[in-house]
Amino acid sequence: MFKKKKAKHSPELEEFNAEEAIKGKSSYFTDQAFKDKLGKYAKKLGIKISYYSLLLFYAFKSPATSKKDKLTIAGALGYLILPVDAIPDFIPVAGLTDDASVILYAVYRVISSIDDEVKERADQKMKKLFGVHYLAKTEDIDSKLNPTT
């Protein structure tokens, strides 16, 4: 009945390269910084948030992800990686709550960019991080990502 209008973007956004935009802008927003942060806080973040963080990371790397989604992901992962945030990470329980909220919001905003390849890459990394503790939770996590199940 109603046709969905395709969003019109300014010429600057059409030509925008998210990966190029963050290069050299911050020494914190690197693959290694993300891996270090996740390695340090994965157990505290928990299985679900760690997995969702990895989904965002691999979706950002995917050429199939739209520029708009890459901007959302860059913001969320940047917030996770940067040492300064609303609630410092060293504060027990509350310290990572704001990070988790940002990651959850971003996943649901970019869910259409999370394809099977992205899930597989995140799954492999989670197996390395959590081992058998992760394997028991995979069905529950993936069922929440698929709106049809």
Side-chain angles (χ1 to χ4, degrees), residues 68-125:
K68 178 183 169 196
D69 285 354
K70 284 188 179 198
L71 285 171
T72 300
I73 295 167
L77 292 181
Y79 190 83
L80 178 69
I81 295 167
L82 292 173
V84 178
D85 56 39
I87 304 171
D89 294 339
F90 64 83
I91 297 174
V93 183
L96 295 171
T97 303
D98 60 326
D99 297 67
S101 298
V102 169
I103 295 300
L104 284 171
Y105 174 77
V107 165
Y108 289 107
R109 293 287 302 184
V110 304
I111 200 155
S112 62
S113 293
I114 299 173
D115 58 22
D116 289 339
E117 182 181 335
V118 167
K119 287 180 185 179
E120 179 62 29
R121 292 179 75 191
D123 188 61
Q124 292 303 314
K125 185 67 175 177

Side-chain angles (χ1 to χ4, degrees), residues 14-94:
E14 292 295 330
E15 296 174 14
F16 182 77
N17 182 330
E19 290 181 8
E20 282 297 316
I22 62 170
K23 280 185 182 174
K25 301 291 189 228
S26 172
S27 60
Y28 296 107
F29 199 99
T30 64
D31 289 0
Q32 193 58 50
F34 173 74
K35 290 173 185 174
D36 290 348
K37 180 78 174 219
L38 192 61
K40 183 176 180 181
Y41 289 104
K43 302 261 192 291
K44 290 180 184 177
L45 283 168
I47 290 173
K48 182 191 248 181
I49 300 303
S50 294
Y51 180 64
Y52 287 172
S53 298
L54 285 165
L55 289 174
L56 292 175
F57 179 76
Y58 291 120
F60 184 82
K61 296 288 187 187
S62 172
T65 302
S66 72
K67 292 175 185 178
K68 178 183 169 196
D69 285 354
K70 284 188 179 198
L71 285 171
T72 300
I73 295 167
L77 292 181
Y79 190 83
L80 178 69
I81 295 167
L82 292 173
V84 178
D85 56 39
I87 304 171
D89 294 339
F90 64 83
I91 297 174
V93 183

